[in-house]
Amino acid sequence: MSGTWFVLILLCLLMYVVLDGYDLGIGIATLFERDAGHRFETIEYVARAWDGNETWLVLLGVSLWAGFPLAFGTVLPHAYLPLIVMLFSLIVRGVAVEMVSQAPPGTRWQRAFGIASLAAALAQGFTLGTLTDSDRVYDGTDFGWFPVLTALAVASGYLALGCAYTKWKATGELRATAARRGIAATSLATVLGAASLAAVGGTAAPLNLHSPGRAIAFTGLLLFAAVGVGTALVTQRPAAGSDALPLAGVVTATVALGVAVVVARYPVILPPALTVTGSVAPDNTMVFLAVGIGLNMPLILFYNWFAHRAFGAGSKA
């Protein structure tokens, strides 16, 4: 049951990173956009589905809190500050996107949306980095340098997703601008992601690749990520044919990298030895939660599909 629940949490995490990642990335991209009309157009892409995207964050938090209470209780005190920044930023984003939609162009709200998106992305990356504290056993006492690196990597990865999504949906000058920025963002995210992987070896929880099967799986997933990055870079050019391929490439790279890190760290959740089985809730609790989550997940998946199809499909002429 613990393994199944861990897969469920991983699914929630990846769904959130991909779905809310692109709209956070769109928000970050608005900080570089001078044209208020273009900013309004891209924010409207977010307005159609942002609430459904963030539902995965709620499901992730509930699943982690109920399924692995010891891990949740250990992480939370150490991550109060970045989590508070993230939650406040998400609130500002929600207000800003509605204000922009109701009273366009809403230049000040556009700027607030961009700043809050960047703050939320950095806070999420910083929180992720705290799970691998620098140079010491995880004890929740202070921050090292590693969370700063992961914060920059996550923000640049979100920006790459946002630019790829915008190129898929936009036309004309906005499409061309998103393509150029997407190449730069994807390149930066690749460099920072590789640096983060390399830096893990100097932390309290280096990657465990001692067994041949684990090493082969990790290497294969990194190859998938490299193919995704290559696809995104080649097809992100303004003159490229299919506008869906850059987004598919970035999503492939993001998911493959996330699964690769899990493969290299499983079953350790927090260093040095807090594992999945060592922090799982009692069996009765897990069964009860599995029924509740199992009933709600199809509804969330349907809502995401419906929102993107009914409200976000076909922006291009």
Side-chain angles (χ1 to χ4, degrees):
M1 180 62 77
S2 61
T4 302
W5 197 257
F6 184 79
V7 171
L8 175 65
I9 290 176
L10 177 61
L11 174 63
C12 293
L13 175 62
L14 293 176
M15 290 294 292
Y16 174 77
V17 167
V18 170
L19 292 176
D20 205 41
Y22 84 74
D23 68 44
L24 284 168
I26 287 175
I28 296 171
T30 62
L31 297 174
F32 305 99
E33 180 58 62
R34 296 182 179 180
D35 189 294
H38 286 170
R39 290 198 300 269
F40 175 76
E41 183 177 345
T42 55
I43 292 173
E44 281 298 287
Y45 299 152
V46 175
R48 297 161 180 164
W50 70 270
D51 50 351
N53 296 342
E54 291 187 0
T55 303
W56 291 100
L57 182 62
V58 177
L59 191 61
L60 172 64
V62 171
S63 300
L64 182 61
W65 167 70
F68 298 99
L70 180 58
F72 186 86
T74 305
V75 170
L76 193 60
H78 192 45
Y80 272 143
L81 180 58
L83 286 176
I84 289 173
V85 171
M86 180 194 74
L87 292 174
F88 180 76
S89 299
L90 293 179
I91 292 171
V92 172
R93 287 180 78 249
V95 174
V97 73
E98 296 299 331
M99 293 299 295
V100 170
S101 296
Q102 294 298 323
T107 305
R108 293 182 178 179
W109 285 110
Q110 290 179 354
R111 190 62 60 187
F113 178 77
I115 294 172
S117 297
L118 177 60
L122 291 173
Q124 289 176 12
F126 198 93
T127 302
L128 180 64
T130 62
L131 302 183
T132 306
D133 205 11
S134 173
D135 302 326
R136 56 183 67 84
V137 171
Y138 187 98
D139 57 8
T141 56
D142 56 358
F143 298 120
W145 54 266
F146 188 75
V148 177
L149 180 59
T150 56
L152 296 174
V154 168
S156 59
Y158 284 172
L159 179 59
L161 282 167
C163 290
Y165 187 89
T166 302
K167 182 175 185 285
W168 181 34
K169 291 294 184 182
T171 58
E173 182 183 350
L174 180 57
R175 173 185 176 275
T177 301
R180 291 191 296 269
R181 289 173 179 161
I183 293 174
T186 302
S187 301
L188 179 61
T190 302
V191 172
L192 291 175
S196 298
L197 281 180
V200 169
T203 67
L207 302 179
N208 178 15
L209 301 175
H210 300 303
S211 66
R214 192 185 292 258
I216 292 173
F218 180 78
T219 303
L221 288 165
L222 288 187
L223 289 176
F224 268 106
V227 170
V229 169
T231 301
L233 290 175
V234 171
T235 59
Q236 190 72 275
R237 296 175 293 106
S242 175
D243 287 342
L245 283 177
L247 182 60
V250 178
V251 170
T252 299
T254 302
V255 173
L257 181 60
V259 176
V261 172
V262 171
V263 167
R265 292 284 297 274
Y266 188 85
V268 175
I269 298 180
L270 297 174
L274 184 57
T275 63
V276 171
T277 55
S279 60
V280 70
D283 288 342
N284 291 339
T285 301
M286 299 296 287
V287 172
F288 177 79
L289 291 170
V291 173
I293 298 296
L295 292 175
N296 280 279
M297 184 166 287
L299 297 176
I300 297 173
L301 287 169
F302 174 78
Y303 179 76
N304 282 135
W305 171 82
F306 179 80
H308 284 84
R309 182 176 179 83
F311 304 115
S315 295
K316 295 189 175 182

